[in-house]
C-alpha cells in the first residue's frame, strides 16, 4: 500500500528505478521490456541473471495468460547459454522447440517494440515419455529407487500405512529382495501376509497383517490402472538430463504427458522422483556462473494437493538443498497460494501473469499475491487484473542477492514454434536418439518375485578364480563384499564413532552370521547386486539425522560419502526414502 506522504514518482523516475535495478553485469536471460504508465519502454530491459537461476522461481497466472509461452522463451535462452533444461509438456505445445518459427508482420511489430532481435531457430530437444506412454524415450524407475514416500503418495496412503510401507522396504532390503517393479513389491507383501511369512511379519513390529493387506489392495489397484509400465528396468539415469549438444547448447528434455488428466498424481510424483534422484547423485557445486540444469514443474499444484506431511517436508528439503548442487527449479501454477509457504519462501525469481478476481476466493488470492511482492510504484491489484496476454509482473534476485524492482513487462517472443512439432519430426528425433538403445526396450531381471516364487534362472556356476563371487553392476556400484554380520558390526562402530556414545542398533543376530538364514531359500540364481539397506531402526535414523542438523539426504549423505566406503553410502535412504543405488 502506498504511504500517504510519499510523492508520486514521475514516469522518468520510474524508468530510472527499473533501468538501474536491472543493470546487471553477468550473463542474463532477457525477459522483455518494462511497461510504465501504460507505455512499453524498450530502453528499460527486464532480465534475470543466469547465475541466480539456481535460486529457483515461480511462474504463475490464470489460465490462458501465457505461462507456457514464458517458460518456452526462457528454455530457449537457457539452451543457447549451454544450460540443459527439463520441461514437462502437458498440452503438447512445447514440442515446438524442435522447429524454427516463421516470422510475420505482427510478430515483427511486437519484437521491434521490445527491442528484440528476433530470428527463427530450432533447439536440441530430447523427447521423453513415462514408461512409453507417448512417442518419447521411455523413462522407468525401479520400485526401490522410487522409495516408500513417493510410492505412498501415489497410493494415497495415510501416515500409518506409509510407515508400514517403509518397514516393507526395510524387510526387502535386509533380505536382498530386489524391488524392481510392482509385481516384486506385491510378492513381498503376499509373502509377509502368508503363513510362511508370519514370523517375519511379527519381527517387523510396527507392521500389522491388516495394514499390509490394505497396501496390497492399493498395489493391485495401481496395476489395474496400467501403472505397472512406469516401474521396471532399465532405469532412467537422471544424469541424461545434464547433457549438452555438440554445438554447446543445452539439451532440452521434453517429457510428454499425454494422459495427465487421467493420472495427474502419478505424473507429478514422478517428476519429484527425477528431482530427488538428481539431488542424491549430484555433488555440491556452490555458486556457479550458470546452473547445471533448470527444471520446470508445470501444474505444480498437483504436487501439493492433499500431500502428506512427510511428502511436503521432503519437497521443502529438496528445494532448499538442491540449489547448492547447481540445479534451479521453477514452479509453474495458477496462483502463489498453490505452493506451500515453506517452498514459496525459497523462490527468489517471480514472473506473475494476470490473475482474475471474479469470485471472493479470487479476490482473496489476489490480495495474498500482492502482499508477497516488494513495495513498488505500481498499483499491483489493478496491474495484475488488467495485464494482457504475454505480460507479467516481474521481480528477480540480482547478482548481489537483493530483489530487483517490480516491473510490469511485455515478454519476449519465442524463436521456435509456439505449438506442437510435426509428428514425423518427433518420431525421427526419437528414432535417432542415442538414448533409444539404452532405454527403449524393457527388461525383466531376476528380482524379488522370481526369488519368492522359485523362478530364478539356473546358476551359471562358480566364479572364475581370483574374482569375487558377486559381480559389480554396470554402473560400478557393486556389492559391499561383506556379510550382513560384517555390515551390521561396521554400522554399529560408525554410529558410535559419530555420536560418541554406545550404538542404539541391536547387536547382530545369529541369523545374520555367515551360513545362516531365517528366510526361505530361493532356487539357485545368478547373484544379483544387493540393494541398498533402506532404513536403519528409528533410533539410529533419528540420532544420526539430529546429530547432523537434520539434513536428510544432504549433509548426512555428504558425510557418509566422505567415508569412502559402500557402507557409508548404504547407511540411509534419501529425502524421499529413495535409493541412490540402481541396477543398470
Amino acid at each position: 500500500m502506498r504511504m500517504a506522504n510519499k510523492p508520486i514518482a514521475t514516469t522518468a523516475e520510474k524508468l530510472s528505478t527499473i533501468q538501474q535495478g536491472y543493470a546487471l553485469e553477468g550473463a542474463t536471460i532477457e525477459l522483455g521490456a518494462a511497461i510504465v504508465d501504460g507505455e512499453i519502454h524498450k530502453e528499460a530491459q527486464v532480465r534475470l541473471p543466469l547465475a541466480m537461476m539456481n535460486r529457483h522461481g515461480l511462474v504463475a497466472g490464470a489460465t490462458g495468460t501465457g505461462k507456457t509461452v514464458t517458460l518456452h522463451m526462457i528454455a530457449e535462452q537457457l539452451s543457447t547459454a549451454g544450460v540443459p533444461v527439463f520441461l514437462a509438456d502437458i498440452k503438447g505445445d512445447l514440442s515446438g522447440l524442435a522447429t524454427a518459427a516463421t516470422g510475420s508482420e505482427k510478430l515483427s511489430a511486437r519484437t521491434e517494440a521490445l527491442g528484440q532481435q528476433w530470428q527463427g531457430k530450432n533447439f536440441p530437444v530430447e523427447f521423453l515419455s513415462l514408461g512409453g506412454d507417448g512417442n518419447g524415450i521411455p523413462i522407468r524407475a525401479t520400485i526401490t529407487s522410487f522409495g516408500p514416500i513417493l510410492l505412498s503418495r501415489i497410493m494415497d496412503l495415510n501416515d500409518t500405512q506409509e510407515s508400514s510401507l517403509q518397514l516393507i522396504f526395510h524387510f526387502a532390503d535386509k533380505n536382498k529382495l530386489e524391488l524392481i517393479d510392482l509385481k516384486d513389491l506385491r510378492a513381498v507383501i503376499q509373502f509377509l501376509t502368508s503363513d510362511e511369512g508370519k514370523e517375519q511379519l511379527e519381527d517387523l513390529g510396527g507392521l500389522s497383517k491388516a495394514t499390509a493387506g490394505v497396501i496390497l489392495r492399493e498395489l493391485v489397484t495401481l496395476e489395474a490402472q496400467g501403472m505397472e509400465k512406469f516401474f521396471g528396468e532399465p532405469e532412467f539415469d537422471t544424469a541424461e538430463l545434464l547433457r549438452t549438444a555438440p554445438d554447446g547448447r543445452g539439451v532440452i528434455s521434453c517429457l510428454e504427458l499425454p494422459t495427465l488428466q487421467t493420472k495427474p498424481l502419478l505424473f507429478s510424483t514422478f517428476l519429484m522422483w527425477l528431482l530427488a534422484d538428481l539431488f542424491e547423485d549430484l555433488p555440491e557445486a556452490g555458486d556457479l556462473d550458470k546452473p547445471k540444469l533448470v527444471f520446470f514443474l508445470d501444474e505444480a499444484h498437483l504436487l501439493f494437493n492433499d500431500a502428506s506431511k512427510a511428502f511436503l517436508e521432503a519437497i521443502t528439503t529438496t528445494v532448499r538443498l538442491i540449489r547448492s548442487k547447481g540445479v534451479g527449479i521453477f514452479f509453474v501454477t495458477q496462483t502463489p497460494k498453490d505452493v506451500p509457504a515453506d517452498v514459496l519462501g525459497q523462490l527468489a525469481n517471480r514472473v506473475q501473469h494476470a490473475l482474475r478476481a471474479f469470485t471472493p476466493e479470487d479476490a482473496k488470492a489476489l490480495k495474498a499475491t500482492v502482499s508477497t511482492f516488494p513495495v513498488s510504484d505500481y498499483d499491483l491489484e489493478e496491474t495484475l487484473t488488467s495485464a494482457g496476454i504475454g505480460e507479467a509482473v516481474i521481480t528477480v534476485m540480482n547478482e548481489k542477492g537483493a530483489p530487483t524492482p517490480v516491473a510490469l513487462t511485455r515478454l519476449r517472443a519465442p524463436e521456435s514454434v509456439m505449438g506442437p512439432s510435426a509428428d514425423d519430426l518427433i518420431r525421427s528425433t526419437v528414432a535417432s536418439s542415442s538414448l533409444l538403445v539404452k532405454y527403449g526396450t524393457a527388461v525383466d531381471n531376476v528380482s524379488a518375485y522370481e526369488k519368492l516364487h522359485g523362478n530364478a534362472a539356473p546358476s551359471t556356476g562358480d566364479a572364475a578364480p581370483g574374482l569375487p563371487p558377486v559381480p559389480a553392476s554396470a554402473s560400478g556400484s557393486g556389492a559391499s563384499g561383506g556379510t550382513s554380520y560384517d555390515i551390521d558390526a561396521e554400522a554399529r562402530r560408525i554410529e558410535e564413532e559419530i555420536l560418541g556414545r554406545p550404538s542404539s542398533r541391536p547387536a547382530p543376530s545369529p541369523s545374520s552370521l555367515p551360513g545362516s538364514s531365517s528366510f526361505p531359500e530361493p532356487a539357485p540364481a545368478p547373484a544379483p547386486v544387493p540393494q541398498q539397506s533402506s532404513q536403519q531402526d528409528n533410533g539410529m535414523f533419528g540420532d544420526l539425522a539430529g546429530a547432523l542438523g537434520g539434513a536428510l539426504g544432504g549433509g548426512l549423505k555428504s558425510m557418509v560419502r566422505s567415508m569412502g566406503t559402500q557402507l557409508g553410502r548404504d547407511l540411509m535412504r534419501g529425502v524421499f526414502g529413495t535409493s541412490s543405488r540402481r541396477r543398470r
Side-chain angles (χ1 to χ4, degrees):
M1 180 180 295
R2 189 187 304 277
M3 300 298 293
N5 60 348
K6 180 180 178 180
I8 298 176
T10 65
T11 299
E13 289 172 336
K14 295 175 184 176
L15 279 174
S16 177
T17 298
I18 292 174
Q19 287 173 318
Q20 292 177 26
Y22 289 91
L24 306 172
E25 297 179 0
T28 61
I29 300 297
E30 300 295 324
L31 299 176
I35 301 173
V36 178
D37 293 337
E39 297 292 330
I40 300 171
H41 294 268
K42 62 182 178 183
E43 71 273 20
Q45 291 293 313
V46 177
R47 46 181 66 97
L48 196 169
L50 193 59
M52 292 292 127
M53 291 202 72
N54 69 332
R55 265 58 172 188
H56 313 316
L58 176 73
V59 179
T63 301
T65 55
K67 299 190 298 296
T68 301
V69 177
T70 295
L71 64 91
H72 187 134
M73 175 265 293
I74 295 175
E76 290 180 346
Q77 294 189 56
L78 286 168
S79 176
T80 301
V83 178
V85 178
F86 176 89
L87 299 169
D89 191 6
I90 293 172
K91 293 173 287 190
D93 295 345
L94 294 173
S95 64
L97 283 156
T99 305
T102 303
S104 66
E105 290 185 9
K106 182 178 179 181
L107 179 61
S108 296
R110 178 186 176 92
T111 55
E112 287 173 9
L114 298 177
Q116 178 183 1
Q117 301 297 316
W118 188 91
Q119 181 181 358
K121 298 175 184 175
N122 64 336
F123 295 84
V125 179
E126 191 77 72
F127 295 104
L128 308 174
S129 64
L130 289 183
D133 187 13
N135 297 313
I137 306 297
I139 291 182
R140 302 181 186 87
T142 62
I143 290 291
T144 194
S145 173
F146 207 70
I149 296 178
L150 289 176
L151 194 60
S152 296
R153 173 77 169 137
I154 292 178
M155 298 166 69
D156 196 26
L157 302 182
N158 61 32
D159 290 345
T160 300
Q161 293 160 353
E162 180 181 306
S163 298
S164 297
L165 185 60
Q166 293 184 38
L167 289 173
I168 293 170
F169 270 70
H170 170 71
F171 172 81
D173 283 346
K174 181 180 178 181
N175 290 281
K176 294 183 173 58
L177 295 171
E178 298 85 354
L179 301 178
I180 304 302
D181 50 28
L182 289 179
K183 75 176 187 301
D184 289 323
L185 182 56
R186 186 184 68 239
V188 170
I189 298 174
Q190 287 175 334
F191 171 78
L192 289 172
T193 54
S194 68
D195 292 338
E196 186 181 9
K198 182 178 180 180
E199 181 179 348
Q200 281 79 10
L201 183 69
E202 292 175 352
D203 289 343
L204 288 178
L207 177 63
S208 70
K209 185 171 183 178
T211 301
V214 170
I215 297 173
L216 182 60
R217 287 194 296 273
E218 292 296 333
L219 202 60
V220 172
T221 300
L222 290 185
E223 292 178 310
Q225 294 174 353
M227 294 187 185
E228 74 280 356
K229 62 185 174 182
F230 301 112
F231 299 101
E233 293 181 310
E235 182 173 76
F236 186 76
D237 185 349
T238 50
E240 309 285 6
L241 302 179
L242 304 175
R243 295 177 301 137
T244 55
D247 61 6
R249 292 185 295 172
V251 171
I252 301 173
S253 298
C254 185
L255 178 66
E256 299 174 81
L257 300 176
T259 58
L260 174 70
Q261 302 307 318
T262 59
K263 302 183 184 76
L265 191 59
L266 173 68
F267 290 131
S268 63
T269 308
F270 232 96
L271 296 183
M272 283 312 302
W273 169 77
L274 290 173
L275 263 182
D277 197 72
L278 280 167
F279 175 78
E280 294 297 318
D281 288 347
L282 287 175
E284 293 290 323
D287 292 327
L288 304 172
D289 292 335
K290 61 184 180 181
K292 295 180 179 179
L293 172 71
V294 176
F295 206 95
F296 289 92
L297 286 172
D298 207 350
E299 300 293 338
H301 65 280
L302 297 175
L303 284 172
F304 306 110
N305 289 348
D306 302 319
S308 69
K309 181 180 179 181
F311 184 78
L312 292 176
E313 288 176 348
I315 291 177
T316 304
T317 299
T318 302
V319 172
R320 184 174 68 251
L321 298 180
I322 204 170
R323 179 193 68 77
S324 64
K325 308 265 182 118
V327 176
I329 307 171
F330 277 67
F331 294 90
V332 185
T333 189
Q334 293 195 6
T335 69
K337 72 180 183 65
D338 293 334
V339 181
D342 288 344
V343 175
L344 189 64
Q346 299 177 52
L347 310 183
N349 304 303
R350 298 280 299 279
V351 180
Q352 179 67 60
H353 287 264
L355 292 173
R356 308 299 180 221
F358 298 144
T359 68
E361 184 66 24
D362 291 340
K364 184 178 179 181
L366 175 62
K367 288 183 179 296
T369 299
V370 169
S371 69
T372 63
F373 278 91
V375 174
S376 74
D377 292 317
Y378 292 94
D379 181 341
L380 287 181
E381 285 195 30
E382 179 182 348
T383 301
L384 286 175
T385 53
S386 61
I389 297 173
E391 297 176 354
V393 173
I394 293 174
T395 179
V396 301
M397 182 178 284
N398 67 20
E399 294 161 324
K400 297 180 180 180
T404 58
V406 174
L408 176 62
T409 307
R410 176 69 61 86
L411 297 167
R412 291 194 166 209
E415 296 179 318
S416 54
V417 169
M418 290 184 289
S421 287
D423 289 341
D424 289 346
L425 174 63
I426 295 175
R427 284 193 290 267
S428 63
T429 301
V430 172
S432 61
S433 171
S434 60
L435 301 185
L436 186 63
V437 176
K438 297 173 67 174
Y439 304 109
T441 304
V443 296
D444 189 8
N445 290 312
V446 173
S447 51
Y449 176 84
E450 287 78 14
K451 289 184 176 182
L452 289 170
H453 287 80
N455 295 330
S459 172
T460 55
D462 295 334
L467 296 178
V470 179
S473 68
S475 63
S477 57
S480 60
T483 66
S484 59
Y485 179 87
D486 294 334
I487 292 175
D488 285 344
E490 183 69 1
R492 285 170 54 82
R493 184 191 66 77
I494 289 177
E495 184 188 357
E496 291 171 351
E497 186 175 299
I498 293 172
L499 300 179
R501 60 166 176 71
S503 172
S504 60
R505 290 174 55 86
S509 64
S511 62
S512 65
L513 291 169
S516 66
S517 174
S518 61
F519 195 75
E521 290 292 332
V529 178
Q531 295 297 307
Q532 168 180 344
S533 296
S534 68
Q535 295 172 319
Q536 309 299 339
D537 61 84
N538 292 336
M540 178 185 180
F541 184 89
D543 288 338
L544 283 175
L548 296 167
L552 301 181
L556 181 54
K557 183 112 181 173
S558 299
M559 178 276 295
V560 295
R561 277 180 173 163
S562 69
M563 294 177 185
T565 66
Q566 187 61 51
L567 170 66
R569 288 190 292 272
D570 287 350
L571 278 177
M572 64 174 293
R573 289 180 178 269
V575 290
F576 286 102
T578 53
S579 169
S580 62
R581 294 180 62 191
R582 57 173 67 85
R583 308 190 317 171
R584 291 192 176 119

